[in-house]
Amino acid sequence: MGTTVGVGFSDHRNPAVAGKEAALAALEGAGVSKPDFVFVFATVGYNQPLLIRSIREATRGAPLGGCSGEGIITRQTVVETNFGVSVMAISSDELRFRNVVVTELERGADLAGERLAAALSPFLDRDSLAGFLFADGLVFNFDSFLEAFEKSLGRFLPLFGGLAADNWASRKTYQYHDDQVVSGGISCVLMSGRGDFAWGINHGCVPVGTKRTITRSRGNIIQEIDGVPALEALKDYFEDDWKSQWNKTSLNLCLGFRTPEAIKGKYEEHIIRYMMGKDDRDGSVTIQSEAPAGTDIWIVRRDKELIRDGLQEISRRILEKMDGRKAKFILQFECVGRGKVVFREQEKIEMIKSLQDDFGRDVPWLGFYSYGEIGPIRQLNSFHNFTSVIIAVY
């Protein structure tokens, strides 16, 4: 039998209709009536429980994992609207998928890491290949989570994924686990069995200022830069309307941290961090990983040509590792800061279509625009912003 995969998409505004349409198209593509596993990514205009219920009914209760995104990416379809849902149906006697969920991320990312490791451990085996992680992008601290997760798990498990998004509203994101739709949680899918995977990561950002230094912080909150409140230190880079247009400001400019020595040579000069929130009372900004005092940072911006060139480099690296073998399916986790806020619609579609064509026009492809991306560098699970993370399973 091997592995058969189908992908379906719908932009119908009725959640019951949209879910059913996308699911049935995925089943038809896979040539099955009930798949072994289902990935789902959807935008937030839908009644989320009704949407997931319709997908579960159409796929006859197959295990399901995924999350909400700012937009959806499938083969030759790139949609950044409030109404879009895509389903990937997988049937395989080579690969196994087990899904788990944890909730209440607000109790601490470290505790969530411990709980997720405990939930995942019974399903880990010698042939476990990778985990796919879909966490709430509004409350997640990756560094705190990862330290506790890996310590509790007791082994290295490559992690890929993206943080759930809500189309710039920054109010509520959704994580999917079978019939459940939760917020403030993590949906995780473990992939095991006979297979391999190759991946690539690129951010396409360049520094626009001189080095600065974090002088006071708490966890993932940067309180002071160069001895003054963070917003005060950064405001010269911002446009005049930055206080009322924070989403626009934080997408145009973000923070670059020096790439750790452990992964230098395998990554670009800086790791990028999105300033997901600010506090006008104390002038602090919040990112999605730890920000220790004494850390050097740079203001960086996106470069369209570097983004295009980076996608070409991703496909070159993946295809080189695959060495002529064909992908069973491909997952793409793309930052919201690399979509319609940078590229015109046709530019964006042509750029992603060119990437997809590199792998063959019949390879099933599913992705979403996220609030943060996850993918390993060497043997180090890493968190990224303003990146494209692409994984080909073959």
Side-chain angles (χ1 to χ4, degrees), residues 46 49 77 94 106 117 135 139 141 158-159 297 304 343:
Y46 296 114
T77 301
E94 303 168 311
E106 68 275 7
V139 293
N141 179 339
L159 295 177
I297 58 172
K304 291 173 77 168
F343 295 99

Side-chain angles (χ1 to χ4, degrees), residues 67-328:
C67 68
S68 62
E70 183 269 343
I72 304 301
I73 300 169
T74 64
R75 181 159 293 283
Q76 300 184 20
T77 301
V78 184
V79 175
E80 291 181 83
T81 69
N82 268 333
F83 297 96
V85 55
S86 194
V87 175
M88 175 178 278
I90 303 172
S91 183
S92 180
D93 59 7
E94 303 168 311
L95 297 170
R96 307 185 309 278
F97 297 87
R98 298 301 298 257
N99 56 334
V100 299
V101 66
V102 298
T103 58
E104 299 178 308
L105 255 176
E106 68 275 7
R107 293 172 55 193
D110 53 349
L111 179 59
E114 293 173 359
R115 291 164 55 215
L116 187 65
L120 211 56
S121 289
F123 307 122
L124 279 174
D125 212 329
R126 294 175 63 182
D127 64 353
S128 292
L129 299 170
F132 298 102
L133 206 67
F134 311 113
D136 191 322
L138 301 178
V139 293
F140 194 55
N141 179 339
F142 180 79
D143 289 346
S144 180
F145 160 83
L146 185 68
E147 182 179 1
F149 175 77
E150 294 192 330
K151 182 179 179 181
S152 299
L153 202 64
R155 58 164 282 185
F156 175 72
L157 177 71
L159 295 177
F160 298 89
L163 301 193
D166 66 346
N167 209 359
W168 308 112
S170 296
R171 295 192 189 100
K172 195 172 189 179
T173 74
Y174 303 93
Q175 298 79 56
Y176 312 141
H177 173 76
D178 292 342
D179 292 321
Q180 293 180 261
V181 176
V182 304
S183 298
I186 303 172
S187 169
C188 182
V189 180
L190 176 68
M191 180 176 69
S192 305
R194 303 190 311 276
D196 205 346
F197 56 90
W199 72 96
I201 302 169
N202 171 268
H203 63 62
C205 291
V206 294
V208 294
T210 59
K211 181 183 74 174
R212 314 297 293 268
T213 303
I214 298 172
T215 48
R216 190 161 67 92
S217 64
R218 185 179 73 253
N220 61 334
I221 300 172
I222 302 173
Q223 297 164 313
E224 290 184 359
I225 297 173
D226 294 336
V228 300
L231 289 173
E232 180 73 19
L234 299 173
K235 70 177 184 180
D236 289 344
Y237 299 99
F238 300 158
E239 295 182 7
D240 292 340
D241 61 353
W242 68 270
K243 287 188 177 180
S244 60
Q245 299 291 326
W246 180 249
N247 278 344
K248 170 185 159 186
T249 298
S250 59
L251 278 170
N252 288 331
L253 294 166
C254 45
L255 301 180
F257 288 69
R258 197 188 307 275
T259 297
E261 289 294 330
I263 59 176
K264 269 194 173 178
K266 291 291 184 179
Y267 197 68
E268 294 154 273
E269 186 177 352
H270 299 101
I271 283 186
I272 309 304
R273 289 293 178 263
Y274 167 59
M275 294 179 284
M276 58 183 288
K278 66 179 177 69
D279 190 329
D280 293 322
R281 295 168 299 178
D282 63 3
S284 64
V285 296
T286 302
I287 61 175
Q288 293 160 315
S289 60
E290 297 291 293
T295 302
D296 293 334
I297 58 172
W298 287 258
I299 287 286
V300 300
R301 64 168 175 80
R302 291 153 302 175
D303 183 282
K304 291 173 77 168
E305 290 307 312
L306 284 178
I307 291 173
R308 288 192 182 96
D309 292 346
L311 285 178
Q312 292 176 356
E313 179 64 13
I314 283 176
S315 66
R316 186 193 68 78
R317 289 182 181 178
I318 294 176
L319 289 168
E320 185 178 82
K321 183 176 179 185
M322 290 172 62
D323 193 24
R325 288 163 289 188
K326 187 175 181 178
K328 294 177 172 67

Side-chain angles (χ1 to χ4, degrees), residues 7-29:
V7 176
F9 170 81
S10 177
D11 57 3
H12 199 289
R13 293 198 168 208
N14 182 307
V17 174
K20 184 177 181 179
E21 279 185 354
L24 291 178
L27 293 174
E28 182 179 359

